[in-house]
Amino acid sequence: MRVLLIPIERTGSNVKSGDWHAAIRHILTRNNEVIGITRPRWGTLKGRRKVPVLLLYWAIGFLHGLFAQYDIIYCMNTPSAVIGMWLGAIRGKPFVWDAGNPALFNPGKLQWLMYWLERQVYARAHSVRMISTLYRDMYENMGMRARVAVIPHLINLASVTPAEKHPPKLPKHILFIGQGNTPSNLWALKYLDSIARFVRLQGGAEIWATGKPVEGIGNIKFLGYVNDIYKTIHEADLCVAPVWSWVPSAPVPSTRVTDFMACGKCVVTTPYLQDVIPELQHGANCLIAQNMAQFLEYVTYALQHPMIRARCGNTARRLIEEKYTWERAYSGVAQLLAWFCSNVVDGNRQ
């Protein structure tokens, strides 16, 4: 089978686990020929400045797909899915929209446009891949219908460096991954900033975060851009993901939590993450706080009990090995493509 992948990204065993573009290409190329175009380099462009680049991307992608030969279109994000929608209608080819984190959960200046486009794409896609049943249910409750394949973000274990190469780094510290450019991350950073002094006093640890410094947050050490995310995770004593269901438009950071677990780290998180990783169990492979006060309690408890951290971390790593690897994703995507072969003809739902 020949697959048109939009956009096409790098592949190989050295890419980061969170790079789902690389993961899906790695999976698709096993038994299929993959062609495609690369996505535009947005650089520092923001808001309306992206529009001309987006229009050029649509034009180039459409012309490329208009004359290329392929059987299925696989689109990795909303702008790319617009190209797939057009090509599917004109060329009569089925297309998959790999939604990941839909625009509904990623507010911004152009959210209204992305959301409108998503409704159009969702209604016309032969299949939509989402990372959790939570996202699927929320879209279906808004009246959107499509064949949804729930395939979570998964780990390329070959890219996870062994823990013994990067022992915990002094001073003792907690790690949060996420820049302050989304409401959920900004809220999490402000919350962590508010408890940083207590954590330092009771747990003897600092709080570190990746990304650029955020104005008004002075009790957290910001690491800037991190080239080797797994080295950074290994060097931490504890990892945290303070995400609450009532945070407006909060995307679930399941990719980073699975990265933490793949490195064998204990994670303090909230019940919201169980919607995406249902195997999370308090006291077995993580610590799940029901509220903010309990979150702080579990952070200090974990810092004071290294055996608890080790036990949760080891169990979490085994969970990743059993259920959240690229090999597991391969079977799900293979089933999706097999369904296309047997049920979709000339771009029509059967």
Side-chain angles (χ1 to χ4, degrees):
M1 186 185 302
R2 205 167 199 223
V3 180
L4 176 64
L5 178 60
I6 312 175
I8 197 166
E9 296 290 343
R10 68 189 189 279
T11 187
S13 61
N14 294 324
V15 299
K16 293 181 175 65
S17 295
D19 191 343
W20 179 252
H21 287 74
I24 200 65
R25 184 180 177 186
H26 173 83
I27 293 165
L28 290 175
T29 51
R30 281 195 169 186
N31 295 313
N32 308 283
E33 181 182 356
V34 178
I35 62 172
I37 60 170
T38 57
R39 60 179 170 178
R41 300 295 180 183
W42 301 111
T44 57
L45 295 178
K46 296 181 179 179
R48 295 179 180 177
R49 295 183 179 181
K50 287 184 178 181
V51 173
V53 181
L54 178 62
L55 294 175
L56 181 61
Y57 174 52
W58 280 347
I60 294 173
F62 177 73
L63 290 174
H64 178 87
L66 196 60
F67 299 102
Q69 298 300 316
Y70 48 86
D71 302 297
I72 289 177
I73 307 165
Y74 199 106
C75 304
M76 292 301 302
N77 48 45
T78 302
S80 300
V82 173
I83 301 174
M85 180 177 65
W86 292 339
L87 292 174
I90 294 174
R91 293 288 305 273
K93 302 294 183 180
F95 79 98
V96 182
W97 173 34
D98 197 314
N101 291 335
L104 175 65
F105 304 95
N106 292 281
K109 292 182 178 179
L110 295 180
Q111 185 196 16
W112 64 270
L113 175 60
M114 290 295 103
Y115 182 51
W116 182 82
L117 290 174
E118 282 184 359
R119 294 186 69 92
Q120 310 309 309
V121 172
Y122 200 102
R124 294 165 177 79
H126 291 86
S127 184
V128 179
R129 174 255 170 186
M130 289 189 174
I131 67 171
S132 75
T133 55
L134 171 70
Y135 285 0
R136 179 197 64 193
D137 294 345
M138 292 188 73
Y139 268 73
E140 289 186 348
N141 289 338
M142 290 186 292
M144 299 187 191
R145 293 291 184 270
R147 176 184 170 85
V148 176
V150 177
I151 304 174
H153 283 311
L154 300 145
I155 294 293
N156 173 21
L157 289 179
S159 68
V160 180
T161 52
E164 55 268 19
K165 287 188 176 182
H166 306 293
K169 182 179 180 180
L170 294 175
K172 190 176 183 180
H173 64 278
I174 297 166
L175 179 66
F176 171 78
I177 295 181
Q179 300 189 49
N181 55 0
T182 66
S184 57
N185 283 345
L186 182 58
W187 185 93
L189 288 169
K190 288 180 178 179
Y191 168 70
L192 292 173
D193 186 63
S194 70
I195 67 172
R197 293 182 179 178
F198 186 86
V199 170
R200 189 179 299 115
L201 179 64
Q202 296 295 321
E206 298 180 356
I207 299 179
W208 293 8
T210 58
K212 299 178 181 179
V214 176
E215 185 178 356
I217 296 180
N219 298 315
I220 295 177
K221 177 180 178 179
F222 288 93
L223 303 177
Y225 173 76
V226 173
N227 185 51
D228 188 344
I229 194 64
Y230 296 116
K231 176 178 180 292
T232 304
I233 294 173
H234 281 309
E235 290 176 345
D237 295 275
L238 180 68
C239 298
V240 293
V243 179
W244 308 93
S245 60
W246 46 264
V247 176
S249 303
V252 179
S254 59
T255 304
R256 291 311 174 204
V257 172
T258 50
D259 281 337
F260 293 154
M261 296 169 72
C263 291
K265 290 296 178 180
C266 177
V267 184
V268 180
T269 185
T270 68
Y272 195 38
L273 267 294
Q274 290 177 302
D275 290 322
V276 181
I277 310 175
E279 297 85 0
L280 291 179
Q281 295 182 11
H282 175 69
N285 50 33
C286 65
L287 297 176
I288 301 176
Q290 301 297 322
N291 52 57
M292 289 182 287
Q294 197 173 68
F295 193 96
L296 176 57
E297 177 187 340
Y298 286 164
V299 165
T300 54
Y301 175 78
L303 288 171
Q304 296 167 356
H305 295 83
M307 295 298 293
I308 297 295
R309 299 201 305 270
R311 185 186 68 193
C312 288
N314 291 336
T315 309
R317 168 71 186 202
R318 288 197 297 272
L319 172 62
I320 296 299
E321 292 172 349
E322 294 170 1
K323 295 190 175 183
Y324 287 86
T325 65
W326 278 13
E327 295 300 316
R328 299 292 181 182
Y330 172 72
S331 62
V333 175
Q335 290 174 10
L336 188 63
L337 296 181
W339 179 85
F340 271 118
C341 292
S342 60
N343 294 283
V344 180
V345 180
D346 295 330
N348 297 312
R349 288 186 180 86
Q350 300 297 312

